[in-house]
Amino acid sequence: MSEELKINRNKNGFVGLFTAMASPCQVLVDAPVVNLEQEANIRQAIQDVQEEAERIEKKFSRYRDDNIIAEINKSNGQPVNLDEESAKLMDFALQCFELSDGLFDITSGVLRNVWHFDGSDNIPDETSIKACLPNIGLDKVQWKSPTLTLLQGMELDLGGIGKEYAVDRCLQIASQACNFPVLINFGGDLACNGPRNNKQSWQVGIESVGGGKPARLTLKQGAMATSGDARRFLLKNGVRYSHILNPKTGQSMIDAPSSVTVTAPTCIQAGLMATLALLQGADAEAFLKAQEIQYWIQK
């Protein structure tokens, strides 16, 4: 068992705590009364979740130089053959790109070379931003599964879907390993496999961006994800620049809400909708209403 993993038992069941993907991670298992065999299964399930989260992070993090993302980004225009899991994520990312009319683009990570969201007032100049744009556009990538060819100078960054994908995978693993209600929470992106044992919803707290009273939402089935600029932003002349960037212009969505929380059947779907809402800028709430989904928004 990893030294970073802690498993606590309380009156409601079990809580697994660890850190992955730069986020605090929780595994909640609603099992107040269990026998020794059930407890052993639950503890093993929590350990399996932590190991899966670490596996996904190692495989898809852009911060490593020894995984499939690094291989793609160092390919210099040469074709790379993807494994089945990576190919499915590529298919999903391309579908998101097409459905969003290019607003959700996993090649836009190159903008981090000019945008540094450290809370300062250092806004990049227009020339630097425009210099990045020729290297953005998923439609420029040659993709015929399992072979991917990335143009020289371009990069892939799965940061927009990686953590949400990990939540969904980990919930699946935990649900298969133990027959109890489970909630997976990775830094506020979460999913559950059903209501608690008393048939009640899980209670979920949403942090207030502006220092106001946090919201308390309920989740009985499915997933919830939040996107916003609570910790990653720039501030200049009273204008708050969000880390959510328009891949077509390279500009920050300065007129978007501070935070959007969305519920959906899966966490990867919820995360996509929350990000797409922010990319609508001032029209975020109108976009969410049109989707006929549950949401919570902070201006």
Side-chain angles (χ1 to χ4, degrees):
M1 183 179 298
S2 169
E3 293 181 1
E4 295 182 359
L5 175 63
K6 296 180 180 179
I7 302 177
N8 302 318
R9 184 173 182 179
N10 57 37
K11 64 180 181 179
N12 296 318
F14 296 82
V15 181
L17 301 170
F18 60 94
T19 300
M21 293 165 279
S23 299
C25 299
Q26 290 183 316
V27 185
L28 306 180
V29 182
D30 189 14
V33 180
V34 295
N35 57 39
L36 291 178
E37 181 180 359
Q38 289 171 325
E39 179 171 346
N41 287 340
I42 290 170
R43 290 181 178 273
Q44 183 61 53
I46 294 173
Q47 183 176 346
D48 291 346
V49 164
Q50 187 230 15
E51 291 174 354
E52 178 67 357
E54 289 184 346
R55 181 193 71 83
I56 292 172
E57 181 177 15
K58 289 177 181 178
K59 182 173 182 178
F60 297 115
S61 172
R62 66 172 173 84
Y63 297 104
R64 299 179 66 93
D65 60 4
D66 59 352
N67 60 13
I68 184 63
I69 299 301
E71 182 181 354
I72 293 169
N73 291 343
K74 295 177 182 178
S75 61
N76 292 318
Q78 297 301 308
V80 177
N81 288 328
L82 305 190
D83 62 275
E84 183 179 0
E85 181 181 37
S86 301
K88 287 181 178 179
L89 281 176
M90 185 64 196
D91 283 337
F92 178 77
L94 187 59
Q95 183 181 28
C96 294
F97 176 83
E98 293 171 347
L99 290 174
S100 67
D101 192 27
L103 284 179
F104 190 92
D105 192 333
I106 62 171
T107 68
S108 63
V110 295
L111 287 166
R112 68 178 178 274
N113 294 325
V114 296
W115 285 95
H116 306 287
F117 293 96
D118 52 9
S120 70
D121 63 353
N122 296 319
I123 310 301
D125 59 71
E126 188 71 22
T127 301
S128 299
I129 294 172
K130 286 185 176 180
C132 295
L133 298 184
N135 293 324
I136 299 174
L138 198 55
D139 52 345
K140 300 174 184 177
V141 174
Q142 297 178 34
W143 169 239
K144 185 176 181 180
S145 186
T147 304
L148 174 72
T149 305
L150 200 65
L151 296 180
Q152 192 167 6
M154 295 185 69
E155 297 180 6
L156 294 190
D157 183 350
L158 295 179
I161 57 176
K163 186 169 61 168
E164 294 86 350
Y165 170 69
V167 169
D168 290 333
R169 280 285 303 144
C170 287
L171 179 64
Q172 182 181 24
I173 286 172
S175 299
Q176 292 171 346
C178 67
N179 190 28
F180 291 98
V182 176
L183 183 141
I184 305 290
N185 179 3
F186 290 176
D189 294 329
L190 51 91
C192 66
N193 60 1
R196 306 189 67 158
N197 279 317
N198 58 9
K199 306 303 180 184
Q200 297 299 307
S201 300
W202 297 87
Q203 301 295 309
V204 180
I206 304 296
E207 180 183 9
S208 173
V209 174
K213 187 177 180 181
R216 184 165 294 277
L217 308 181
T218 61
L219 187 67
K220 212 165 194 176
Q221 179 80 43
M224 182 182 296
T226 299
S227 186
D229 62 3
R231 294 178 177 85
R232 297 181 62 200
F233 62 91
L234 298 174
L235 187 64
K236 186 172 184 176
N237 298 328
V239 178
R240 188 181 181 96
Y241 293 79
S242 168
H243 77 281
I244 302 296
L245 303 174
N246 186 325
K248 297 181 179 181
T249 65
Q251 298 290 345
S252 168
M253 303 302 298
I254 60 174
D255 54 353
S258 294
S259 175
V260 170
T261 299
V262 172
T263 61
T266 66
C267 194
I268 201 168
Q269 291 172 324
L272 171 65
M273 296 307 296
T275 299
L276 286 182
L278 290 179
L279 284 166
Q280 308 302 313
D283 296 325
E285 189 158 14
F287 169 81
L288 290 167
K289 286 180 178 179
Q291 309 309 309
E292 298 183 349
I293 55 177
Q294 290 187 327
Y295 65 91
W296 184 71
I297 195 166
Q298 292 190 76
K299 300 293 186 181

